[in-house]
Amino acid sequence: MKIVVIGAGYAGLLAALRLAGKSRQADVTLINAADTFVERIRLHQLAAGQTLRTHSIPALLRGTRITFVQGRVTALDPSRGSVTVEKDGNPSDYAYDTLIDALGSFADTSTLPGASEHALVLNGVATSQHLRDKLAANPSARIAIVGGGLTGIEFSTEIADAYPRANTTLLTGEKVGPNLSEKGHRYALDALERRNITLYEDTTAAQVTADAVLTADGRRIPADLTVWTGSFGVPSLARDAGLAVNRCGQIIVDPYLRSVSHPDIFAIGDAAASGVRMACATAMPLGAHAADNVTALIKGESLQPMRFSFIVRCISLGRHDALVQRVDADDTPREQIYTGRVGALLKESICRFTVWSLYIERRIPGSFRWTQAAAVTPVIRSPQPAQIV
């Protein structure tokens, strides 16, 4: 069976490794625009000037029987069962019996006037390096960060630690860290205050200009650099191909992670309207479960519905501080947090675990595990700001 996986992020790479390792009958092709695996949960560190370890995808796949294709997916044709990939300006078609869409998400600047023209983003290595260079050239810059979810908190604290002379401002349309407990919220506020980060809660950004952020209530916040960490979107590939998607383009899936309109297509990670929040913590279990279900299809076995339970939310606050928030299985926060160096150690361990899991899965197929106490109910929803872990 020809299995094509598009996207080699946390979900797609794990799915490909698991599939190839668990089924000798699976002819797996993995397609990705870059030949290196991007640790998206560390992009704020890259933007702050830190050197990150690189992970070669061909090296990671060595010995797995997975065919790797470096190129950009430009079209999907479900009627023919093929994807079109552009490599060095030349298009090529790759046929599939089953497709796994793991193309992920990106910071969607189109939702805020002026953001596409004037705001910087953390969409990948190139954009993060561009932001790093901008910051290094002006270490005393006025920096406005729009979006107070976990990504915004992580980036603002990382930058404030790396550039203490910068004037850093964080704006959010609700309270910062809206899904934290009261104790967690207070600690996040304290972490921002200790770093002299100016915080505007319940403040809606209305427009970004070349030198400021304008708010809905008429304020003008001067900014040499504006960074967008607000809402995220997904590629239009599935919508353009006629798949059933929600209004933001995520593929609507059944409990087995198959497209409800095209059951030979599975969707995982941020590409799927899976019923769980967009996060690295959910992407890898979704990828593993899709791989298990495709393996079941190959063997003629029954598919199993996705089950997943949350344990924690993790927020780095620079390199020596973090907030680890305990949550119930349904992601409801508890009044239990781990902070400071203990929190930082836990957070770093979790970040490392994500990469270790890929290398271990290559050697021991099926080794990746996750908590599965609760059944996932896919829903038609809009993407929320992607979480870091």
Side-chain angles (χ1 to χ4, degrees):
M1 179 180 284
K2 292 182 179 179
I3 314 296
V4 172
V5 182
I6 52 176
Y10 295 101
L13 191 50
L14 182 62
L17 289 167
R18 197 175 183 94
L19 260 172
K22 294 186 71 173
S23 176
R24 290 282 173 180
Q25 296 173 279
D27 178 3
V28 182
T29 298
L30 177 63
I31 302 172
N32 196 61
D35 64 352
T36 56
F37 169 68
V38 177
E39 288 191 78
R40 187 170 178 178
I41 57 178
R42 293 190 186 274
L43 288 178
H44 59 290
Q45 295 177 236
L46 179 61
Q50 297 168 36
T51 301
L52 302 183
R53 179 186 174 188
T54 58
H55 304 274
S56 165
I57 293 177
L60 206 157
L61 300 181
R62 191 172 296 130
T64 63
R65 300 182 302 107
I66 297 172
T67 300
F68 176 64
V69 176
Q70 184 180 354
R72 186 172 64 88
V73 180
T74 58
L76 165 62
D77 188 342
S79 64
R80 294 177 55 232
S82 69
V83 294
T84 301
V85 180
E86 185 176 292
K87 299 181 292 182
D88 300 322
N90 300 311
S92 300
D93 290 337
Y94 291 83
Y96 65 82
D97 297 308
T98 298
L99 176 72
I100 299 179
D101 187 330
L103 287 179
S105 64
F106 57 89
D108 185 7
T109 54
S110 68
T111 59
L112 178 62
S116 296
E117 296 82 6
H118 304 296
L120 301 168
V121 293
L122 298 169
N123 272 339
V125 171
T127 55
S128 299
Q129 289 176 333
H130 178 62
L131 178 52
R132 175 199 63 192
D133 295 342
K134 290 281 189 180
L135 290 165
N138 188 2
S140 301
R142 298 169 299 177
I143 306 166
I145 301 159
V146 182
L150 307 193
T151 305
I153 297 171
E154 289 211 323
F155 178 68
S156 62
T157 52
E158 197 78 52
I159 292 303
D161 282 355
Y163 296 96
R165 289 190 293 144
N167 184 348
T168 305
T169 299
L170 178 62
L171 298 87
T172 176
E174 47 192 340
K175 73 176 185 177
V176 71
N179 296 307
L180 297 173
S181 68
E182 285 302 316
K183 186 183 293 184
H185 181 240
R186 288 196 300 271
Y187 192 84
L189 290 177
D190 180 65
L192 297 173
E193 184 177 354
R194 281 187 279 113
R195 291 166 174 81
N196 296 315
I197 297 171
T198 302
L199 174 65
Y200 291 93
E201 291 188 300
D202 301 313
T203 301
T204 302
Q207 183 180 353
V208 178
T209 68
D211 59 359
V213 175
L214 309 181
T215 67
D217 58 4
R219 278 179 284 187
R220 180 181 185 277
I221 300 173
D224 301 309
L225 299 172
T226 297
V227 182
W228 174 254
T229 62
S231 61
F232 280 64
V234 298
S236 64
L237 190 75
R239 185 194 300 276
D240 296 341
L243 275 69
V245 298
N246 65 11
R247 68 182 183 86
C248 291
Q250 290 176 303
I251 298 172
I252 301 171
V253 295
D254 64 16
Y256 312 108
L257 304 181
R258 299 177 304 183
S259 163
V260 295
S261 61
H262 296 76
D264 57 343
I265 298 176
F266 286 71
I268 55 179
D270 295 352
S274 63
V276 294
R277 61 176 162 91
M278 298 161 65
C280 169
T282 57
M284 297 185 77
L286 289 169
H289 189 72
D292 290 346
N293 271 343
V294 174
T295 301
L297 281 176
I298 294 172
K299 295 180 178 180
E301 299 173 351
S302 299
L303 305 188
Q304 298 300 316
M306 178 66 190
R307 301 180 67 86
F308 179 82
S309 299
F310 290 95
I311 300 175
V312 295
R313 285 177 179 243
C314 302
I315 313 173
S316 66
L317 304 168
R319 292 301 85 208
H320 305 295
D321 190 10
L323 168 59
V324 179
Q325 170 76 69
R326 285 295 306 274
V327 298
D328 291 329
D330 65 355
D331 211 21
T332 301
R334 300 180 184 179
E335 285 298 344
Q336 183 179 4
I337 61 175
Y338 305 94
T339 61
R341 289 188 177 272
V342 171
L345 179 61
L346 288 171
K347 164 69 172 174
E348 179 61 24
S349 297
I350 291 171
C351 289
R352 293 186 182 188
F353 171 76
T354 61
V355 177
W356 294 339
S357 295
L358 297 172
Y359 285 94
I360 294 171
E361 187 71 31
R362 182 186 67 178
R363 294 181 176 275
I364 310 174
S367 60
F368 183 82
R369 293 288 186 270
W370 66 97
T371 53
Q372 302 185 40
V376 169
T377 303
V379 294
I380 302 174
R381 63 180 176 84
S382 303
Q384 298 299 313
Q387 310 302 326
I388 292 296
V389 168

